[in-house]
Structure formats: structure tokens, C-alpha cells
Amino acid sequence: MATAAVTTERENYLNAEYGIKSWLLTTDHKRIALLYLISITFFFFVGGFFALLIRLELLTPAGDLVLADTYNKLFTMHGQVMVFFFLIPSIPATLGNFLVPMMVGAKDLAFPRINLLSWYLYIAGGLLMLLCILTGGVDTGWTFYTPFSTGFSNTNVTEAGLAIFINGFSSILTGLNFVVTIHRMRAPGMTWSRMPLFLWSTYATSIIFLLGTPVIAITLLLVVMERAFGLGIFDPTRGGDPVLFQHLFWFYSHPAVYIMILPAMGVVSEIIPCFSRKRVFGYKAVAMSSIAIAVFGFLVWAHHMFVAGISLYAALVFSILSYLVALPSAVKVFNWTATMYKGSISFSTPMLYALGFIGLFTIGGLTGLFLACLGIDVHVHDTYFVIAHFHYIMVGGALMGYLGGLHFWWPKITGRMYPEAWGRLSAMIVFIGFNLTFFPQFILGYLGMPRRYWQYPPEFQVLNVFSTAGASILAVGYLLPMVYLLWSLRYGKLAGDNPWGASGLEWTTQSPPTTFNFDETPEVTWEAYDYEHIPLPMEVTLER
Amino acid sequence: MSDSPLLVEHPEHDNPALLHHFATPEQQRNTASLGMWLFLATEVMFFGGMFCAYLVYRYWYYNEFAAGSRSLDIWLGTINTVVLICSSLTVALGVKAAQLGKRKQLVGLLLATLVFGVAFLGIKGIEWYQKYEEHHIPGHSFDVSDIIQNYPQIHIDPSHSQIYFSLYFAMTGLHALHMIVGIGIFAFLTYYSWKGKYGPEYYTPIENGGLYWHFVDIIWIYLFPLLYLIDRKPLR
Amino acid sequence: MSAHVISTKLYVTIWIALMCLTVITAGVAFIDLGPFNTIVALSIATFKAVLVVLIFMHVKYTSERLTKTVVISAIFFLFLLLGLSMADYTTRLLG
């Protein structure tokens, strides 16, 4: 087969049709996934550019690289681009789009045309965001806090709000598509208890998309209307309550953290059993903990507002509820660890990312408990401690999961292997660079360095230099995969249908898959992660 | 690869309405229906943000909300509720006509729905115009001195009144926007019903359009008491 | 394809009920019931909404448990938003 494939490439979704139109008007979930992959990578580098400038400014205690106003815009747009245009669509819209139909054994998502519409909405929102950036940017912080955003800021708040509003509908439609697909399009025999854990976490994520995103949409619409018509809903001088904005904003934006982390957890749940050659430990517990995280995520939002003037009693309740999220998160971490116990572990690139995820997510999660605690939160609120905490979750967690998943399914997506040595190297660089960037920020925050300031007292400089140095290492770690993954498209060795000896329906079909994924509708008769009965491919066995 | 999956035959592909990735028309119908219900769930949360703002400010500024509510025209409000309920009946009967394959009846009922929908928007427009003439629209010319004069027995803060009217316009405006979208959808459905596209075998668009219309009706069922009927009892 | 077809008579009955409830709720608002004015108005609205959901939107007749689950969870999460927000607003002055 291998020799035949070199001469005449098998028909697949990539070569089924040619031309720009066949991409821009496609309804194939796999092509749409690639469209997303390209567009979110673009926005990742836009957001990364702002991060670079932020870190450069903070290299020295004086505010010498950019003006204070410019700095305000830099961290605002870094946050908005990264959160709304990279992290939230990252795993769901790329890997999710590609894998959900294949994992359930379907030909496509339930609503292929709506799926394409989601991408166009994302692009429309993204273009508006770019326009907003190029015409001067926003300076409210990514959180749009009122009354500054509604009454005082004279930057492009309206455009940014509308961009995120439009992008929200892209999320909602993607989530809707996933939930319906998982309910309605499963192949015969694909029962709920046989579903890969990636599907469970995508399902949980989609619930948040569906129930949370509309709330931020209406909230941002109110901000835009308040700016346009002077409604006064969030204006304290006219009886409005700015804290109401925070309630509505965090009702979505706290669960949005789980939109970022849950799919990454799903990816890790796929990678760990595969590279440990073991059935996942406690399948049901891991599956249910995804749903639990999604639901608990809606009960804790006011822990972002402990010092904003909410009632002490409400703060107590929200503090206790916040601890609840630790339970399902711990269930996952312990089960992954138990899965590896006595497994036959190989440290391939995806596994390195997954292990990095577990470590970094654990640090991010545990420091989250500090912040959920009322007394400590008063001390570290709005300091670099918070910044470090959520970067450990969003970058250390979500982004590591995304890169791990991208490497894991790269052979399926493109039909080619990436260079393994380069993969392992860049995984290590990312891990080291990440920790060097963000661990000093925990200390900085604990010592009292506030976030969002463009200058700081000289005694904080050493730690800030560490952080900036780490950021440049991290940048190398992100650029390397860009290079070798693109290289592998042409020069990578052919992957074969199942290079990892992985379980899951997506590995039973050819790489890259055909337009309709399966030659005939598969029938599932086995449990997920049945690694005791899946033989390793010959070359993998030899490599070990 | 002679047996390309593109050529895999679908046993039921003689049905033109069946899309390629579904096995049976029933699967396709259930899928569309679930999609619509999930969409309505997101709509609940979309309006939910506004209901939350409403609840908070009604709790804080009850007097201003009550006085603002009295300034609305309860007759027009009630008539509009009646109009929407009638339109819901015609939609429900329309779905039934589609189920039974009665094309002319279906077109007639959809047209009636459109008439009710436009009537609702017309009446809403009259109400908004009245508010415009009374200077009750939030903004620079906002003025509630007439309301303050009418109710000397309760203390009314004009800026809190403005919050009531802001929410009134935001909520009814968003609802009206949904009505406009609904009218667009129903115009489309009427055209294709007239063309005979829907029948007992395939009426999913009618059914889902109907679900949307009923949902918009339910939002109004709540907006009516929340905005018009806060406090109508005689003042002492 | 065996979708449930509901009789025209039932639809019309529900329509009449909705019309009557509309008139009642508008009328009752003019009678002083103290705090019960709001409770009555919202109860009637909820009753009307339930009639529309169950009959006009066919939820009563669907064999699908999923539709009911979607409806109930939407309402549940709406109340979560309203309830937990109000937990803040109603207790602010206490502490």
C-alpha cells in the first residue's frame, strides 16, 4: 500500500476538490477545521505580538518603551484577541470540528452549512476586531469593565464589543452543532459509555457555549447601546450599577475558562491511555467530571468580584461554591495518573505535552483555590498572582492541550508524520519557557506587583527579567512547530492509517480521511480505550 | 480506489429532502428539531441577561418602575398580547395543515400569521411614537416631569426612571427585532408553501419556524406583566 | 414519521384559555392585592407559557425526553443567573 500511495495518492478530503471556491464554500467539517486552524493561528500570532510588546515594556522598571495609554491598549488587545479569537475557538473549532463526526462515526456534523456559517461569523468578528486594532485599539482591559468602558473610554470599545458579539454567535452555533451531532449522529453501537472522553469534554464545553455565550452577547450589546444612547444602566452617577455588568460578564467569562480547559482535558484523556497502552482508569468518573465542571462552572462567577463591592454573604457562598470545582478537576488528574500507573509509557511528543498539561494545570488549579479563598483574594486580587494563575490554566493548560492534540492527530489530518525529535525538543522548550515566564509572576504578585501597570518599583526587576527571558524562549517553542509542521506537509514521512496504534473510530479510517470519513457506516462493538487488545504498529514497537 | 465513498449509495436517496449525511428522514427530522430547541435555550439565556438587569433595578427602584409602568398604554399592550396569541394559534394550525398536506390552508394560515405579526409591530410602533412625543426615550431630551407631576405622593428620581425606560426600550426592542426576523422567516415559509414544498413527508421548516414564533410569543407573555402591569392599582 | 396531529378543537380551546387569561391578568392588575399583584401576574404568565409550550409547541406529545430536558435546563440556568445575582443584591445591606 505504501508504494502505491507514493505514486498515486489515495483520494481524500484534501484532494477531492481543488480551487479556492472548494475551500471557501465547503461544508466538509474537516476542511472547515483547517480553515479554523489557519485563522486561529493567525490570531494567535497577533495576540502573541501584543504579549511580546508587553513583556518588552516590563523588562525595565521605567515606562520607557511605550506610553502608558499604549500599554493599556496592548494588554487589552492581547487579552481580547487571545481569549475570544484564539483560546475559545482553539480546540473545539479545529480538533473538535475535525474529530467529533469521526469519533461518533458520522459522515459530517449535523448541520454542515451552519458549521460553515460559524466560520464566516468568526471571520467577520475577527475582521472587525482587526479593524478595531488598526484604527487605534481598545484600552478597557479585556473585561470591558463599566463605567470606564461605557462612559469614559474614548477608544474603539464599540467595535471591539460588536466583534466579540458576532464571534459569540460563531461559538453558539459550533456548540449547537456538537451537541446535536453527539446526540443524533452516533454510529450503531456507539453508546454513551463507549464514547471517547474527548467527546464527553466537547459535549460539556458545548453546553457552556450554548448557555453562557448568549449572556455575554446581550451584556456587550447593552454596553454598546449604553455608549450609543446613554442609557445609564451601568452608570453609577445615574443610579446604574457597574457591578451588575460584572455579574453578567462573569456569568459567561468564568465558564469560558472551562470552555478553554475542558477540550484540552479531553485531548489529554485521549493521549494518556494511548501512550501508556492502558485502558483509561475510571472512565465514568472522568466522563462525568467533565459534565460536573461545566455545571459547577456556572455557580462560581462572583469569585472574580470579591473586592468589587458585592455582599459579604454572597461572597461567602460563592467562595464555598468555587472550591467545588476542585473536586471534578482532581478526579481527572488522579485518574490520568492512575492510568499511567504500571503502563507501558512512551514519551512521544503528544505525551510530553499531556504530561506538561497535568503538571501545569495542577499548579494553575491549586493556585485557583488560593484565589477562591476570601481572605487571600483580598491580598492578591489584581496582582500578578492572578495573571500567573490564569496563564497556568489557559496557556499551561489549554494551549499545551491544543499543541498535544495537534501533534497527536496531525498524521490523521495531513497523512504525514511530523519530525519526532523536533517535536520533543519544542515540547521541552515550551515547558521550560512557560515556567520561566509565569512562575516568577506568582512571586511578583505575592509581593504585591499589581497587574496592568506599565512601570514598577526597581526591586521587582529581577523577576520581570526572568519572565521576559522566559517569554522569548516560549516564543521559540511556538515558532518551531509552525516551521516543522509546515515542513512535514511536504517532506514528512507517510503516516499510515493508525501510526500510534490508537483506539477510536477516527483511526479506523484512512489518513487523511475521505470526504465522507468512512466507506461504510462503522459499527462499534468495543469499549473505548481497549488498549489491551490493540496491537502496536510494527515500527512503533521497533522504536521502543 | 474504484469504490469511492462518494459513490456509496444511500438506500433512501430517492427522497430529495434527505441530506447525504443522514440515514433516515426521521433521523434528519429529530436532528433539526433538537437543534431548534437548543437554539431556543440559548435565546432564553440571551433574554435572560436583560431579565436579570430588570430584576435588579426593579428591586432597587420600585417606585420609578411602577410609575413608568403606569405611563404605558395598557390598552395597546393588551391588544398586542391578544394579537400575538392569535398569531400563535394560526401558526399551530399551520403546522397541522402542513402535517396533513393541506397546501391552501397552510398558505392561508401563514399569511394570517404574517398579518398578525405586522399588526403587532404597527401597534408597537404607535406606542413607541407616543413615548417619543412624551420625551420618555432615554437620552438628552429625556424628561419625566409629567410622570413626577402625576404622582406627587411617591418620590421619583428621573435618572432611575430613565433606567426603567432604558430597559423598556431594550427589552421591547429586542423582542421586536425577533418579530422582524420571524416575519422574514414566515414570508420565506409562505412562499415555499405556496410552491408546494412542504407536505406530510417534509414539513420540518414549518415546524421549526413555528417553534421560534411560539418562543417569541412566550417572551411577550412575560414582558407584558413585567413592563405594563407592575403597579396599576388605585393610588391612595 | 408518525408525528402526533393535535385536534383543531384542542388548539382553539387553548387559544380561548390564553385570551381569557390575558384579559384576567390585565383586569386583576387594577385590584389592590398588595404583594400578590406581582405573584398573580407572574403565575398567570407562567401558566400561559406552559400552555403554549405543552400544546402549541407539542412538548406534551413528544416521545422525546430530550426536548423536555432542554426546556428544563434552559429554565434552570436562567434561574441560576437570576437567583445567584439576586443573592448578592438582596444581602448587600446586611453586611
Side-chain angles (χ1 to χ4, degrees):
Chain A
M1 199 68 212
T3 47
V6 173
T7 48
T8 55
E9 212 170 67
R10 285 185 293 181
E11 176 162 327
N12 60 52
Y13 78 102
L14 293 166
N15 63 16
E17 278 179 290
Y18 291 100
I20 188 92
K21 226 173 124 184
S22 75
W23 282 89
L24 292 182
L25 295 178
T26 184
T27 51
D28 181 358
H29 65 102
K30 298 180 290 299
R31 287 191 162 208
I32 295 172
L34 288 190
L35 291 176
Y36 268 115
L37 182 65
I38 296 163
S39 21
I40 67 162
T41 307
F42 171 75
F43 279 102
F44 174 71
F45 282 103
V46 173
F49 172 71
F50 293 128
L52 179 80
L53 290 179
I54 292 171
R55 278 324 315 168
L56 280 179
E57 168 59 62
L58 294 176
L59 192 58
T60 57
D64 43 11
L65 181 70
V66 294
L67 297 171
D69 281 346
T70 316
Y71 185 77
N72 289 345
K73 289 178 180 174
L74 287 179
F75 68 69
T76 300
M77 292 180 300
H78 166 67
Q80 288 175 347
V81 169
M82 283 299 201
V83 168
F84 295 108
F85 294 95
F86 174 70
L87 281 168
I88 285 178
S90 61
I91 298 180
T94 56
L95 297 175
N97 244 326
F98 195 93
L99 293 168
V100 166
M102 302 190 72
M103 282 182 164
V104 298
K107 292 194 185 78
D108 206 324
L109 284 172
F111 308 113
R113 277 178 296 185
I114 289 181
N115 194 22
L116 183 65
L117 174 67
S118 299
W119 183 71
Y120 275 103
L121 287 171
Y122 171 80
I123 290 298
L127 288 179
L128 191 55
M129 192 72 208
L130 280 181
L131 185 75
C132 158
I133 291 168
L134 293 175
T135 54
V138 208
D139 67 346
T140 57
W142 79 277
T143 49
F144 288 104
Y145 268 15
T146 55
F148 179 69
S149 63
T150 47
F152 299 96
S153 174
N154 49 15
T155 54
N156 299 334
V157 180
T158 307
E159 288 87 337
L162 286 177
I164 291 163
F165 178 82
I166 295 169
N167 188 36
F169 286 94
S170 162
S171 302
I172 291 174
L173 293 178
T174 302
L176 193 147
N177 233 329
F178 288 167
V179 172
V180 176
T181 304
I182 292 172
H183 271 290
R184 292 288 192 240
M185 311 290 287
R186 277 174 288 131
M190 179 57 88
T191 58
W192 285 88
S193 56
R194 283 176 182 168
M195 284 199 325
L197 290 164
F198 181 78
L199 286 182
W200 277 99
S201 65
T202 308
Y203 185 82
T205 310
S206 304
I207 292 175
I208 307 175
F209 273 143
L210 286 173
L211 295 167
T213 319
V215 177
I216 193 159
I218 194 71
T219 312
L220 291 176
L221 203 59
L222 282 173
V223 167
V224 169
M225 289 201 291
E226 177 136 356
R227 278 178 76 86
F229 307 115
L231 299 185
I233 290 179
F234 301 127
D235 181 357
T237 60
R238 287 184 285 171
D241 184 19
V243 177
L244 176 65
F245 170 84
Q246 297 186 24
H247 273 298
L248 296 174
F249 179 85
W250 288 113
F251 181 83
Y252 163 77
S253 294
H254 187 76
V257 177
Y258 304 123
I259 291 180
M260 304 172 208
I261 199 73
L262 272 169
M265 291 169 156
V267 168
V268 171
S269 305
E270 296 295 315
I271 293 175
I272 299 251
C274 177
F275 292 97
S276 308
R277 310 307 304 168
K278 264 185 76 191
R279 195 180 285 259
V280 77
F281 185 86
Y283 170 90
K284 260 196 187 142
V286 180
M288 283 306 142
S289 63
S290 292
I291 307 293
I293 289 176
V295 174
F296 292 171
F298 279 103
L299 305 172
V300 303
W301 78 81
H303 66 218
H304 295 265
M305 305 155 57
F306 284 157
V307 299
I310 62 167
S311 117
L312 181 64
Y313 298 98
L316 271 173
V317 172
F318 276 108
S319 173
I320 293 163
L321 287 172
S322 299
Y323 287 114
L324 269 184
V325 183
L327 297 176
S329 310
V331 165
K332 280 187 187 294
V333 171
F334 288 132
N335 279 298
W336 291 324
T337 318
T339 305
M340 287 186 283
Y341 178 66
K342 286 193 172 169
S344 155
I345 297 173
S346 66
F347 294 98
S348 307
T349 311
M351 187 65 168
L352 291 181
Y353 278 113
L355 293 173
F357 173 97
I358 297 180
L360 300 180
F361 170 74
T362 305
I363 296 177
L366 289 175
T367 49
L369 291 182
F370 292 31
L371 294 166
C373 173
L374 282 172
I376 300 176
D377 186 65
V378 172
H379 177 66
V380 293
H381 181 82
D382 262 357
T383 67
Y384 266 85
F385 192 88
V386 178
I387 307 291
H389 154 69
F390 74 69
H391 279 90
Y392 263 81
I393 296 289
M394 293 180 184
V395 185
L399 195 56
M400 293 289 267
Y402 171 66
L403 286 174
L406 198 60
H407 283 86
F408 186 54
W409 282 289
W410 190 255
K412 183 53 65 181
I413 295 171
T414 64
R416 304 270 177 172
M417 289 303 286
Y418 55 86
E420 178 66 26
W422 283 102
R424 289 185 199 191
L425 179 69
S426 66
M428 294 308 293
I429 293 177
V430 167
F431 185 78
I432 293 165
F434 175 83
N435 279 300
L436 191 57
T437 311
F438 291 105
F439 202 83
Q441 296 187 4
F442 276 126
I443 307 167
L444 280 170
Y446 196 74
L447 294 174
M449 179 169 164
R451 67 194 283 197
R452 293 177 174 170
Y453 279 55
W454 100 121
Q455 47 181 205
Y456 53 85
E459 61 260 37
F460 291 146
Q461 189 173 12
V462 175
L463 289 167
N464 271 301
V465 169
F466 273 128
S467 188
T468 301
S472 30
I473 296 174
L474 196 53
V476 174
Y478 292 145
L479 285 172
L480 269 179
M482 268 298 282
V483 176
Y484 67 72
L485 286 180
L486 285 176
W487 175 88
S488 76
L489 287 181
R490 199 177 167 89
Y491 303 105
K493 67 174 193 232
L494 288 176
D497 294 351
N498 190 359
W500 311 119
S503 77
L505 281 178
E506 78 270 27
W507 300 106
T508 62
T509 181
Q510 69 173 51
S511 312
T514 54
T515 301
F516 292 139
N517 300 340
F518 302 98
D519 293 347
E520 49 197 75
T521 307
E523 220 176 311
V524 184
T525 51
W526 59 91
E527 305 294 311
Y529 312 110
D530 194 10
Y531 279 107
E532 283 87 351
H533 298 107
I534 300 173
L536 265 179
M538 202 41 146
E539 60 264 60
V540 180
T541 323
L542 288 177
E543 262 177 38
R544 289 181 156 200
Chain B
M1 299 298 276
S2 56
D3 52 350
S4 154
L6 288 162
L7 302 176
V8 170
E9 277 176 57
H10 300 281
E12 307 212 27
H13 241 182
D14 45 328
N15 182 349
L18 180 66
L19 296 171
H20 75 84
H21 56 302
F22 294 108
T24 61
E26 197 178 359
Q27 185 194 18
Q28 180 173 343
R29 221 177 64 110
N30 288 339
T31 304
S33 165
L34 177 61
M36 194 65 208
W37 278 103
L38 286 172
F39 176 73
L40 296 184
T42 71
E43 286 275 31
V44 168
M45 298 309 287
F46 192 63
F47 279 95
M50 280 203 174
F51 281 112
C52 185
Y54 170 90
L55 193 61
V56 167
Y57 291 124
R58 175 174 168 160
Y59 172 72
W60 272 6
Y61 307 132
Y62 182 77
N63 284 347
E64 286 82 358
F65 269 57
S69 160
R70 280 165 181 272
S71 80
L72 301 182
D73 191 326
I74 191 169
W75 279 105
L76 291 182
T78 312
I79 291 170
N80 247 352
T81 314
V82 167
V83 167
L84 267 196
I85 287 172
C86 293
S87 75
S88 262
L89 177 70
T90 55
V91 168
L93 292 174
V95 174
K96 183 179 171 171
Q99 283 174 330
L100 300 176
K102 296 178 178 166
R103 187 178 72 98
K104 277 187 187 154
Q105 204 183 17
L106 170 62
V107 173
L109 286 162
L110 293 181
L111 279 176
T113 310
L114 282 173
V115 169
F116 283 126
V118 172
F120 176 90
L121 286 177
I123 294 170
K124 201 71 235 163
I126 294 170
E127 285 189 77
W128 283 337
Y129 186 71
Q130 283 178 358
K131 290 282 124 191
Y132 169 75
E133 291 205 311
E134 292 165 346
H135 291 275
H136 287 169
I137 292 186
H140 294 298
S141 61
F142 183 75
D143 181 17
V144 280
S145 47
D146 53 331
I147 295 182
I148 295 173
Q149 270 173 11
N150 286 347
Y151 308 108
Q153 56 275 70
I154 45 179
H155 176 260
I156 292 170
D157 182 332
S159 60
H160 300 170
S161 254
Q162 174 159 312
I163 288 184
Y164 170 79
F165 284 107
S166 294
L167 285 169
Y168 167 77
F169 283 106
M171 291 167 105
T172 57
L174 196 65
H175 179 263
L177 192 68
H178 278 79
M179 289 292 296
I180 292 168
V181 171
I183 288 172
I185 293 170
F186 270 72
F188 174 88
L189 292 178
T190 313
Y191 175 74
Y192 281 104
S193 306
W194 178 65
K195 286 258 179 181
K197 195 176 173 189
Y198 310 119
E201 289 302 310
Y202 178 66
Y203 59 93
T204 309
I206 303 274
E207 201 177 23
N208 279 352
L211 288 179
Y212 174 83
W213 193 275
H214 291 307
F215 169 80
V216 178
D217 184 19
I218 288 173
I219 293 291
W220 183 260
I221 284 176
Y222 278 97
L223 288 185
F224 177 59
L226 289 178
L227 293 171
Y228 290 76
L229 306 177
I230 295 176
D231 185 12
R232 292 278 173 180
K233 52 193 182 244
L235 284 174
R236 252 162 277 153
Chain C
M1 286 302 282
S2 57
H4 194 94
V5 179
I6 299 165
S7 72
T8 308
K9 204 172 135 197
L10 179 60
Y11 278 138
V12 173
T13 314
I14 297 299
W15 174 69
I16 292 170
L18 290 171
M19 298 291 254
C20 294
L21 287 167
T22 305
V23 174
I24 291 170
T25 188
V28 168
F30 289 93
I31 305 164
D32 189 351
L33 300 172
F36 288 99
N37 275 105
T38 309
I39 294 170
V40 169
L42 284 180
S43 308
I44 292 179
T46 305
F47 187 59
K48 282 161 76 180
V50 168
L51 287 181
V52 173
V53 170
L54 288 186
I55 312 293
F56 281 0
M57 296 169 91
H58 300 176
V59 169
K60 190 181 169 200
Y61 303 97
T62 176
S63 53
E64 197 76 61
R65 283 223 310 280
L66 197 53
T67 313
K68 286 163 191 157
T69 316
V70 172
V71 174
I72 290 167
S73 26
I75 296 166
F76 173 76
F77 279 89
L78 175 67
F79 274 89
L80 217 58
L81 169 65
L82 301 179
L84 283 173
S85 300
M86 287 316 281
D88 169 23
Y89 284 91
T90 49
T91 56
R92 268 193 202 173
L93 296 176
L94 300 178

